[in-house]
Amino acid sequence: MENYTTDTRGSNVIPIFHGVEPSEVRSQTGYYGEALAKHKLNNKIKREVNSWTKALATAASLSGWDMTNGNTTEHIQKIVTRISSELLGLMQHSKPSAETSADTGLIGIDARTQELKSLLEVGTGGVLKVGISGMWGSGKSTLVSSVYDTISYKFEGCSFVKNVRDRSRMHGLKMLQEEILSDVLKLKVTLSDNDHGINLMETRLCQNSVLIVLDDVDHTDHLEMLVGSDEWFVDGSRIIFTTRNQDLVNTRSSLAHNVRMLDVKEAVELFSRRAFGKSAPAQGFEEVSQNMVSKFGGNPSALIRLGSFLHGKHINEWTGILNRLEGRLINEILDEFKTPDDGLARKFFPTFVTEGEKAVSSRSSLCSITPPFLTEEEEAVSPRCSWCSIT
């Protein structure tokens, strides 16, 4: 505390008062006053005592933790929780900048993350359920994952449930209920059936503020059995779900949010990073890149696959492909990209995939690429997509 000056107040200091009143420390009365008075009689440390006096006064004036009353164990648990939350917050704020995010393929994610965070109003009262809608490949999963990473430390319990649609079909909703309860309660939970899960969630989730994200929801049962009604949750809790079903957003959410597609500048950059390995088109490819990107409506997933597919190809092949795209509607083109079909590239551009390319494509190094922008519904498509042989 002696070094705690106006130049170092970016640091977080939490004074803890145990067995002493903050007012005694601030004014140096009681035992503190008696001890300091004795030390001042020692000329060898008189100067140090003066600095101690100022430091103690400064500490007592800060917002701290008074443990004078209550159970010591409970106080310690709350102190640890608060410090852990603040440390997690500092770690999140030290994450890569927008420039770094762009280098990893997450073009435009920072602005979209901030938009959703503003909508959530974390720290205010009430229980909010926010439905995130958007077509396949729009980046819904990436967005909610980014938001979760930046705000989860502010809640007492958190759970991010991936691929709700596919996992519920394979394993049932009971497993997902167990996952949520285990995450939030920080202990292993085993349920006998769905009804047991609902009863336990009703009684346990309401004890602390929670953040729950359900990624890729496609049926009302998912919401009813995993996040139920607002009465399940305490004030300040936030529920987020992503879906391609607009009806679910309209009927089961407090707030609706539609994921914005990439604008022209963002789309060209994302496409270029896949096609050329840099943020802008290579010399001689500027115009054809702009024209190619304009056919895909700013859809991140399609642009990643397209850029990877065109990587290393001659400009004549680019021009031929662009000619085949002329006159086709954006939605029609995108429908081709979301079909999980090994022969997609050959069906869509049969005259541009030679026998030599067929032989190479089976062992192409592109097969090792896992696009950072693809999660949720895109993951179901990407393993078998021959556009860029992504696995």
Side-chain angles (χ1 to χ4, degrees), residues 105-120:
L106 302 182
I107 310 300
I109 192 64
D110 295 314
R112 288 161 177 77
T113 296
Q114 190 55 49
E115 289 172 4
L116 182 52
K117 285 173 62 178
S118 298
L119 184 67
L120 289 168

Side-chain angles (χ1 to χ4, degrees), residues 88-109:
L88 283 171
L90 291 172
M91 290 169 64
Q92 296 297 344
H93 290 310
S94 65
K95 281 194 167 186
S97 63
E99 182 178 355
T100 306
S101 295
D103 290 341
T104 60
L106 302 182
I107 310 300
I109 192 64

Side-chain angles (χ1 to χ4, degrees), residues 276 278 280-289 315:
F276 309 108
K278 57 183 182 178
Q283 186 174 3
F285 284 81
E286 295 90 348
E287 184 176 355
V288 69
S289 293
I315 193 169

Side-chain angles (χ1 to χ4, degrees), residues 306-365:
L306 176 67
S308 298
F309 177 74
L310 293 174
H311 177 74
K313 286 182 167 52
H314 192 275
I315 193 169
N316 290 340
E317 295 180 79
W318 284 53
T319 303
I321 291 173
L322 187 59
N323 289 337
R324 291 181 62 83
L325 292 173
E326 289 297 337
R328 300 194 65 174
L329 298 175
I330 290 176
N331 287 342
E332 179 186 345
I333 295 172
L334 291 177
D335 281 343
E336 299 279 357
F337 274 75
K338 75 175 180 179
T339 304
D341 176 27
D342 284 334
L344 179 59
R346 295 169 181 76
K347 287 183 179 180
F348 201 62
F349 301 133
T351 62
F352 300 106
V353 182
T354 66
E355 290 301 321
E357 287 176 312
K358 291 178 182 178
V360 172
S361 65
S362 64
R363 58 180 184 274
S364 171
S365 61

